[in-house]
Amino acid sequence: MNDAVTAEETIVIRGRKVVGGVAEGEALVTRDRISGWGGIDPRTGTVIETRHELRGQSFAGKVLVFPGAKGSSGWSAMFHMTRLMNSAPAAFLFNEMTTKMALGAVVTHSPSMTDFERDPLECIATGDWVRVDADRGVIEITRKNKSGDRP
């Protein structure tokens, strides 16, 4: 018998819908803001910004958890291209609402949320399984890591 096997823990966070819909997938988390123009490759959904902590990693089909957008108004155009090229995130969870972030979420058509009761950057780690129900304003997180190092 394996003593390391434990029951899965699910955390629920509530927030505000930006773009409706339901999506789920593996989380990709960063504390760095993401630049659209020059910061991502829309063909692959890969972060290409030189000093970004996610450089070389793809957000395609993942739940992207991050503070928000940075850079120019090209942000929305680049993320719109990810939708057209099937490399967009499954969902966006972000802390700071800006016009470029809102427009980027809308053109991507990915369920998106902000204004959380708890900071998702504190509750979600890369690799956790996340279900985003933006219509209901509910995020369900199933941790991959059972070590209890997050609240």
Side-chain angles (χ1 to χ4, degrees), residues 99-123:
T99 53
K100 82 179 103 230
M101 186 63 239
L103 182 56
V106 168
V107 300
T108 305
H109 298 187
S110 298
S112 304
M113 293 176 59
T114 194
D115 293 340
F116 306 101
E117 63 186 7
R118 292 172 63 189
D119 185 351
L121 294 170
E122 299 295 328
C123 302

Side-chain angles (χ1 to χ4, degrees), residues 131-148:
R131 183 176 190 278
V132 177
D133 186 340
D135 294 327
R136 292 180 41 233
V138 176
I139 304 161
E140 296 173 353
I141 305 128
T142 303
R143 291 184 179 172
K144 74 161 186 181
N145 178 347
K146 310 295 189 284
S147 69

